[in-house]
Amino acid sequence: MKKVVKNNMNSKENKKLRKEYIENFNESFDLLIEEYSKKLNLNNRKTGV
Amino acid sequence: MNNEKDKIAQRSGRFIGPYEYVLLESGDYTFAGPDGKILEGRIKEGEKLDWFGKFYRYGNEWKFNTDSLLNLDFGKYDLYNEECGKHPYNYITYFDKLCITPGTNKYNNFNFGYNEEVVKLFPEFFEYIPVSRFIIRGSKDYFCAFKDVILGRLKKFDAAHKSDEEWTKLCAWAEKLRKVAEEKFKQIEKVKEAGEYQKRKEELISKTSEWYYKKNDEKVQAISLANGKPDKKFEKLSEEDWINLIKEDYHNIAFVPFKVATDAFMEKAKPHFMTSIIKKLDDIDVFAPDVKEQLASVEKSYNEALGMMKAKEIEFQEEKNRNARVVASNKKREEVEKTFGDMKF
């Protein structure tokens, strides 16, 4: 009988993949912001009034 | 809730929060009161607006549930909530009318439509922030806020153990928005490189410095065009002047929110100066094709935002009902246990 593989969102592998994706997304977005901020001479985040 | 507020709530058929708001800045405001009557006029700083109970609190957030706020130049710094002791800047969490303005306030912050709070709530609107806003702002605020909100959603979804399918959809959405950010950077670069923005700004300042731009601490601030009625500074402008201004200053006028905000205003308020301008603009087909596309697209997003807001309301109500049921059930169980616990068989 064919083994049924459940779509387990909590599996270690899935968790790891998601974590990696989030980290990569964050890093690459940060790089994008940094790169263009430098190029366009944009300042650091300003605090609200 | 006091009696007076109860009465107001009854009349307006809406929830009236137990808070009073104090107006921080005096100015010309236009509201619809709970009885549907439109209130216009100059409101003094420090004046209390107790019928402003259409703002209410949901968890730690401030929401407003108004279709009556007609003032389109209403920034987050206009109100102060005494009880909370802070600016209820989250009061714009959900809105059923885009009461937004393309202007900046005197703090050089962006009102409603363009402040980071809105980006955080509706990142989809990021795309429609005009390039000039980023340049005037001169910081990476928007981009950071934009990234934060996307990241926040990813984390939240991950923690909620959503299905693979939903996760994939969310990733596609995140990637799409990242591309939007990249595209926005490229647009800024292009405008800056071409010196187009600077050129436009200088031209405008020289032509219209008195009424369209004002200099403040060496920063140039745009004055709102969509505040529902023309500012006194604009009074001397003819309709033709306005049309020419809008035609010329493509980058500095936020067509999309301008249109949406004006529509929101037109729907509720009596006809006024801006109405005729918008009609004229439509007649002369001043909008470039890409702006028309943007309009269609933002109207779609706007409708989706409305749907989202309604869904949130339903979710909130359901959660409230569920909690009430749990409390009632627990109470009943306690009573039963108490009764049977005391019985001797």
Side-chain angles (χ1 to χ4, degrees):
Chain A
M1 203 175 142
K2 206 176 174 184
K3 199 182 168 188
V4 177
V5 181
K6 278 192 175 178
N7 178 13
N8 183 3
M9 294 312 297
N10 291 317
S11 74
K12 273 188 181 174
E13 199 186 347
N14 269 345
K15 275 186 177 175
K16 200 181 148 196
L17 284 172
R18 286 179 175 208
K19 202 181 161 195
E20 272 175 16
Y21 178 81
I22 291 172
E23 277 169 8
N24 285 338
F25 184 87
N26 189 23
E27 280 170 21
S28 61
F29 214 130
D30 275 343
L31 281 174
L32 180 77
I33 293 174
E34 282 314 305
E35 184 197 332
Y36 275 97
S37 295
K38 219 178 242 180
K39 212 188 263 188
L40 301 172
N41 200 24
L42 299 176
N43 302 321
N44 285 328
R45 188 183 282 234
K46 285 175 187 172
T47 51
V49 176
Chain B
M1 199 182 286
N2 64 31
N3 286 341
E4 186 52 35
K5 280 181 183 169
D6 273 337
K7 279 183 207 160
I8 293 170
Q10 236 173 1
R11 279 206 304 271
S12 66
R14 284 175 179 277
F15 174 76
I16 297 288
Y19 302 107
E20 283 184 333
Y21 292 87
V22 178
L23 201 73
L24 284 180
E25 289 185 55
S26 58
D28 293 324
Y29 288 86
T30 311
F31 303 109
D35 52 1
K37 196 179 159 192
I38 292 174
L39 309 171
E40 276 185 290
R42 197 157 185 87
I43 302 178
K44 285 176 195 161
E45 190 175 308
E47 197 160 325
K48 283 190 180 180
L49 300 167
D50 64 348
W51 49 263
F52 228 86
K54 286 178 184 187
F55 290 90
Y56 60 97
R57 212 172 171 172
Y58 174 30
N60 290 322
E61 291 174 335
W62 285 95
K63 293 172 71 174
F64 86 78
N65 180 22
T66 178
D67 51 8
S68 70
L69 178 62
L70 298 176
N71 177 26
L72 301 176
D73 186 19
F74 199 80
K76 64 183 178 181
Y77 300 102
D78 286 341
L79 288 175
Y80 176 80
N81 180 264
E82 281 187 319
E83 193 157 336
C84 294
K86 63 176 181 181
H87 296 95
Y89 58 84
N90 277 331
Y91 65 75
I92 52 170
T93 305
Y94 300 101
F95 44 88
D96 48 10
K97 289 286 170 203
L98 289 179
C99 300
I100 48 185
T101 165
T104 57
N105 63 20
K106 69 178 180 185
Y107 303 107
N108 202 31
N109 266 313
F110 299 91
N111 282 347
F112 259 53
Y114 297 129
N115 68 29
E116 291 98 60
E117 299 304 324
V118 169
V119 171
K120 284 177 199 168
L121 295 164
F122 297 110
E124 291 80 3
F125 285 119
F126 182 88
E127 198 175 345
Y128 304 105
I129 299 175
V131 170
S132 59
R133 300 294 150 215
F134 293 93
I135 297 173
I136 290 172
R137 183 78 163 175
S139 78
K140 50 190 179 184
D141 296 22
Y142 282 118
F143 290 94
C144 292
F146 191 53
K147 187 206 77 170
D148 288 348
V149 67
I150 303 169
L151 207 63
R153 284 201 194 175
L154 286 171
K155 285 179 181 172
K156 204 174 162 186
F157 265 68
D158 182 35
H161 307 304
K162 297 273 181 182
S163 70
D164 266 347
E165 201 185 318
E166 282 175 284
W167 175 254
T168 310
K169 267 191 205 166
L170 188 69
C171 290
W173 171 82
E175 292 304 330
K176 192 183 149 198
L177 292 194
R178 178 163 48 188
K179 277 186 189 149
V180 166
E182 198 169 352
E183 191 49 42
K184 194 60 84 179
F185 272 132
K186 283 179 186 163
Q187 286 171 7
I188 298 171
E189 195 178 18
K190 209 174 150 191
V191 172
K192 273 202 162 187
E193 267 176 11
E196 193 185 344
Y197 173 75
Q198 196 55 32
K199 202 177 144 209
R200 279 175 185 280
K201 201 167 80 174
E202 280 163 12
E203 275 172 11
L204 274 162
I205 292 167
S206 66
K207 272 203 286 190
T208 62
S209 57
E210 269 179 52
W211 43 267
Y212 184 54
Y213 278 105
K214 61 178 175 182
K215 283 206 167 191
N216 182 12
D217 300 332
E218 295 175 356
K219 281 177 187 166
V220 178
Q221 299 181 336
I223 294 167
S224 171
L225 283 175
N227 60 355
K229 54 191 166 188
D231 191 290
K232 278 185 183 150
K233 298 178 199 75
F234 306 147
E235 270 176 1
K236 55 184 165 182
L237 295 182
S238 68
E239 286 190 13
E240 203 52 40
D241 289 334
W242 276 91
I243 291 162
N244 287 334
L245 173 74
I246 294 166
K247 273 166 133 180
E248 286 164 13
D249 192 18
Y250 180 91
H251 279 294
N252 283 303
I253 293 168
F255 279 96
V256 171
F258 180 71
K259 178 89 169 76
V260 175
T262 309
D263 280 350
F265 190 90
M266 280 166 69
E267 200 181 301
K268 293 275 176 187
K270 53 192 176 186
H272 59 96
F273 191 76
M274 299 299 280
T275 311
S276 54
I277 292 166
I278 282 291
K279 277 191 180 156
K280 280 210 169 183
L281 286 173
D282 282 345
D283 290 345
I284 58 175
D285 200 22
V286 74
F287 297 115
D290 60 322
V291 177
K292 276 187 171 168
E293 277 170 30
Q294 279 192 12
L295 276 171
S297 177
V298 85
E299 273 164 11
K300 195 172 159 248
S301 305
Y302 169 61
N303 288 331
E304 282 167 6
L306 280 184
M308 195 167 92
M309 185 195 76
K310 280 172 191 157
K312 285 270 176 195
E313 294 290 350
I314 293 166
E315 197 186 302
F316 172 62
Q317 197 51 47
E318 280 173 355
E319 199 185 326
K320 209 172 146 189
N321 293 344
R322 212 169 24 250
N323 289 341
R325 279 200 301 274
V326 169
V327 169
S329 158
N330 286 345
K331 204 176 165 190
K332 204 171 178 182
R333 196 185 309 118
E334 274 172 25
E335 279 170 11
V336 170
E337 279 172 5
K338 204 179 166 191
T339 311
F340 285 99
D342 292 343
M343 280 177 81
K344 287 176 184 173
F345 295 97

